[in-house]
Amino acid sequence: MTLASGPTVEGVSPRPWASAMRHVQRRWHALVTILWMLVLALSPVLRLDGVGHDVALAAHLLGMVVGFGAVLLVDWHGLVWLSGLRTFRDSLRVGEAAHPLVWMGLLLILVSGAFLGPDLGQPTTWIKQVAVLALVNNGVAVRRLGARLSLLKPRIHSLAELPERHRVAMIVSLTVSQIGWWTAAIVGYLETLSRR
């Protein structure tokens, strides 16, 4: 097995394997996008008031803490790897362990957000919704990137040692993640303040 050709599984060439992985990834992208659209479509009908709204808001905030907290941990661990204090494999393991937490946070944000009655007539609401859409699709891409990175040699000490396509994908995913989470958090906070 070479890095240039990708993994081979019992004589299966890497191209069909890579093609199958792309097909699965496209299905996940479609699934999370449909879920996002469903939440937006149902949100005017599912709006809650009073205690129900407060519970949905608490769940929404909990989703932010769990998901964004896990993302910050992974990104911080990546910086620790770049400083030479942890190995590349350590960072991959932290990412793999945190990935379910990110998805739990995103799912909680999506489901609880449907009950918060987002005002779809406001541009700021759409900024937040597009940020969430970018985050769920980025999460799908990060999962595949993690699988590809796990096939690399364990002794990688810098970004420059990564193959260019992996390095670019990592930088793009990190950028989308940070912009998406910070945008969703700040816009959500400002929208909550404006409703009081």
Side-chain angles (χ1 to χ4, degrees):
M1 174 176 78
T2 64
L3 292 180
S5 65
T8 58
V9 179
E10 297 184 18
V12 177
S13 71
R15 286 201 173 115
W17 180 83
S19 176
M21 291 300 292
R22 281 192 299 274
H23 181 69
V24 168
Q25 186 176 10
R26 279 194 296 270
R27 285 184 175 210
W28 276 107
H29 280 297
L31 180 66
V32 298
T33 301
I34 289 168
L35 177 62
W36 175 82
M37 291 172 16
L38 183 64
V39 165
L40 284 180
L42 292 175
S43 63
V45 178
L46 299 176
R47 183 182 179 137
L48 297 175
D49 292 318
V51 174
H53 181 272
D54 292 345
V55 170
L57 182 59
H60 203 69
L61 293 174
L62 180 62
M64 281 296 294
V65 169
V66 170
F68 196 18
V71 165
L72 289 174
L73 172 68
V74 171
D75 292 349
W76 176 257
H77 210 278
L79 291 173
V80 172
W81 159 63
L82 289 174
S83 70
L85 298 174
R86 292 287 184 271
T87 67
F88 183 65
R89 286 281 174 238
D90 289 339
S91 288
L92 286 179
R93 279 193 285 271
V94 168
E96 288 170 4
H99 203 77
L101 290 173
V102 176
W103 277 109
M104 283 190 297
L106 280 171
L107 188 60
L108 196 52
I109 288 167
L110 275 173
V111 172
S112 62
F115 295 97
L116 293 175
D119 185 356
L120 300 178
Q122 294 296 321
T124 54
T125 300
W126 281 104
I127 291 170
K128 181 182 176 187
Q129 298 306 324
V130 169
V132 171
L133 177 62
L135 287 172
V136 294
N137 278 286
N138 190 53
V140 172
V142 165
R143 189 70 181 159
R144 182 164 184 243
L145 175 62
R148 290 192 333 232
L149 290 173
S150 68
L151 298 172
L152 300 176
K153 63 181 183 177
R155 297 282 179 213
I156 296 175
H157 297 75
S158 69
L159 277 176
E161 293 181 36
L162 288 172
E164 184 179 0
R165 67 186 173 134
H166 294 356
R167 185 172 57 244
V168 169
M170 186 182 287
I171 291 168
V172 168
S173 291
L174 174 69
T175 303
V176 169
S177 176
Q178 287 297 314
I179 290 173
W181 280 103
W182 284 106
T183 299
I186 291 169
V187 171
Y189 177 71
L190 293 175
E191 284 183 334
T192 301
L193 284 181
S194 70
R195 290 181 183 182
R196 294 186 171 210

